[in-house]
């Protein structure tokens, strides 16, 4: 596919999916040619988080780069947000005959890839980037999925925040997700431009998702690339072993010293390990 055809194809997909957000709750940019890879960003992020990754992978693969509804410039959708995202991605895969695609997901995107793989054996392989099957269980003792409701005091507080207070919160969160100042600013900006209800209720959807037992249904090869910060390597190993204990088989590599956005903190380590997983 030459450059002009690629650009037209990408713009067509962006236009068609963005203007029918209720049926396709995302936009997709398709870059490269070869075996298909679907790349899912983390919560509030746009597909730009994969720019450096795609620059390498598009040399040999057809990369489908997602930005989900409510983030970036993609129109918001009605809740429940995450189940609609999954349904839309599965539909996109079916309509484009991508059943044997590789799924790469960071954070929320990794949880989404795991969820899809618990319900289908058609995916070629999964590369999960600093993501857990139950984010809620990591954050709360005695976690139960039913505890996660939209109408909560915390959600009301975040919805009511003015722009300055929300930006201050986003800045503090972003500063803990990468050590690179320029990317801290980028992550903060993604949070602040996100649709506020999507940010609040979509995150409730993520916290509610608990795949720990469902991992036993996955037969697709899984590679996990995990950060060690802020708690260190031993704590990270313990957390991953506990959360992934129902998964029959997987390989895991730790980016020692990296924070949540591994692709920003250790870009060379990251792309080398992604390529190794793809070639395994």
């Amino acid at each position: 596919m030459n450059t002009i055809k690629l650009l037209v194809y990408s713009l067509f997909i962006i236009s068609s999916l963005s203007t029918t957000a209720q049926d396709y709750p995302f936009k997709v940019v398709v870059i490269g040619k070869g075996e298909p890879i679907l790349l899912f960003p983390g919560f509030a992020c746009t597909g730009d988080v994969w720019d450096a990754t795609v620059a390498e992978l598009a040399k040999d693969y057809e990369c489908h780069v997602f930005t989900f509804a409510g983030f970036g410039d993609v129109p918001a959708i009605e809740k429940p947000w995450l189940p609609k995202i999954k349904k839309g991605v599965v539909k996109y895969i079916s309509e484009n005959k991508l059943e044997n695609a590789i799924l790469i997901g960071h954070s929320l995107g990794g949880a989404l890839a795991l969820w899809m793989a618990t319900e289908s054996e058609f995916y070629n392989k999964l590369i999960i980037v600093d993501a857990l099957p139950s984010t809620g269980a990591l954050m709360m003792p005695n976690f139960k999925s039913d505890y996660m409701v939209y109408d909560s005091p915390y959600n009301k507080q975040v919805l009511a925040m003015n722009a300055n207070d929300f930006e201050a919160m986003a800045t503090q969160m972003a500063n803990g997700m990468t050590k690179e100042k320029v990317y801290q600013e980028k992550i903060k900006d993604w949070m602040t431009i996100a649709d506020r209800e999507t940010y609040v209720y979509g995150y409730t959807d993520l916290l509610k998702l608990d795949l720990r037992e469902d991992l036993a249904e996955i037969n697709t090869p899984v590679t996990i690339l995990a950060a060690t910060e802020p708690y260190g390597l031993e704590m990270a190993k313990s957390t991953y072993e506990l959360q992934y204990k129902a998964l029959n088989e997987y390989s895991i590599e730790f980016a020692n010293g990296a924070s949540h956005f591994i692709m920003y903190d250790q870009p060379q380590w990251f792309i080398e390990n992604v390529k190794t997983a793809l070639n395994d």
Side-chain angles (χ1 to χ4, degrees):
M1 184 180 295
N2 64 39
T3 302
I4 295 176
K5 287 183 178 179
L6 174 60
L7 178 60
V8 171
Y9 184 45
S10 297
L11 290 174
F12 169 76
I13 290 178
I14 290 172
S15 174
S16 63
L17 295 182
S18 294
T19 55
T20 56
Q22 294 299 326
D23 292 326
Y24 298 95
F26 44 74
K27 77 175 180 183
V28 182
V29 177
V30 181
I31 304 172
K33 187 175 181 180
E35 187 178 2
I37 297 177
L38 278 58
L39 295 106
F40 305 142
F43 193 77
C45 299
T46 72
D48 294 350
V49 74
W50 297 116
D51 280 354
T53 307
V54 170
E56 288 294 321
L57 298 187
K59 299 172 184 176
D60 301 298
Y61 297 90
E62 181 181 87
C63 298
H64 298 243
V65 187
F66 286 70
T67 299
F68 298 130
F71 302 140
D73 59 359
V74 185
I77 58 173
E78 295 294 324
K79 60 181 184 295
W81 177 80
L82 187 53
K84 289 182 177 180
I85 294 293
K86 180 176 72 72
K87 182 178 179 180
V89 173
V90 170
K91 182 178 180 181
Y92 176 85
I93 288 170
S94 176
E95 290 183 347
N96 290 279
K97 297 180 172 57
L98 300 171
E99 283 79 2
N100 292 315
I102 297 161
L103 307 183
I104 303 180
H106 173 238
S107 192
L108 158 84
L112 174 63
L114 289 169
W115 193 7
M116 292 166 57
T118 65
E119 298 177 352
S120 173
E121 297 182 358
F122 293 128
Y123 308 117
N124 189 322
K125 62 182 64 177
L126 273 60
I127 301 176
I128 306 300
V129 184
D130 212 47
L132 296 171
S134 178
T135 302
L138 175 69
M139 300 176 65
M140 300 168 222
N142 304 315
F143 168 81
K144 289 187 179 179
S145 183
D146 292 341
Y147 294 165
M148 298 296 103
V149 296
Y150 294 133
D151 188 18
S152 69
Y154 177 77
N155 283 358
K156 290 178 181 177
Q157 177 186 358
V158 177
L159 285 170
M161 278 184 177
N162 62 42
N164 289 337
D165 289 344
F166 187 84
E167 183 172 356
M169 180 188 75
T171 298
Q172 182 178 20
M173 295 175 66
N175 289 351
M177 292 182 180
T178 176
K179 299 174 181 179
E180 300 297 323
K181 296 292 185 183
V182 64
Y183 292 122
Q184 290 174 1
E185 188 72 13
K186 181 183 286 287
I187 295 165
K188 182 265 292 182
D189 288 345
W190 282 332
M191 292 180 185
T192 56
I193 67 173
D195 173 72
R196 185 69 67 87
E197 288 195 357
T198 302
Y199 185 89
V200 171
Y201 297 137
Y203 198 69
T204 301
D205 290 340
L206 174 59
L207 293 179
K208 190 177 183 68
L209 185 67
D210 187 353
L211 302 169
R212 288 174 293 177
E213 294 183 4
D214 296 331
L215 294 179
E217 303 299 320
I218 295 179
N219 294 312
T220 304
V222 177
T223 297
I224 301 168
L225 305 180
T228 63
E229 298 308 304
Y231 302 113
L233 179 59
E234 293 308 313
M235 180 64 75
K237 285 182 177 179
S238 176
T239 297
Y240 274 86
E241 287 173 3
L242 182 63
Q243 287 236 347
Y244 280 91
K245 65 181 181 180
L247 186 57
N248 295 321
E249 187 175 350
Y250 64 92
S251 61
I252 185 166
E253 298 291 339
F254 289 92
N256 209 359
S259 298
H260 185 50
F261 282 75
I262 302 172
M263 66 284 286
Y264 291 156
D265 279 6
Q266 295 190 14
Q268 191 62 37
W269 182 97
F270 179 74
I271 195 62
E272 287 176 359
N273 278 272
V274 167
K275 288 181 176 179
T276 296
L278 290 173
N279 294 326
D280 189 357

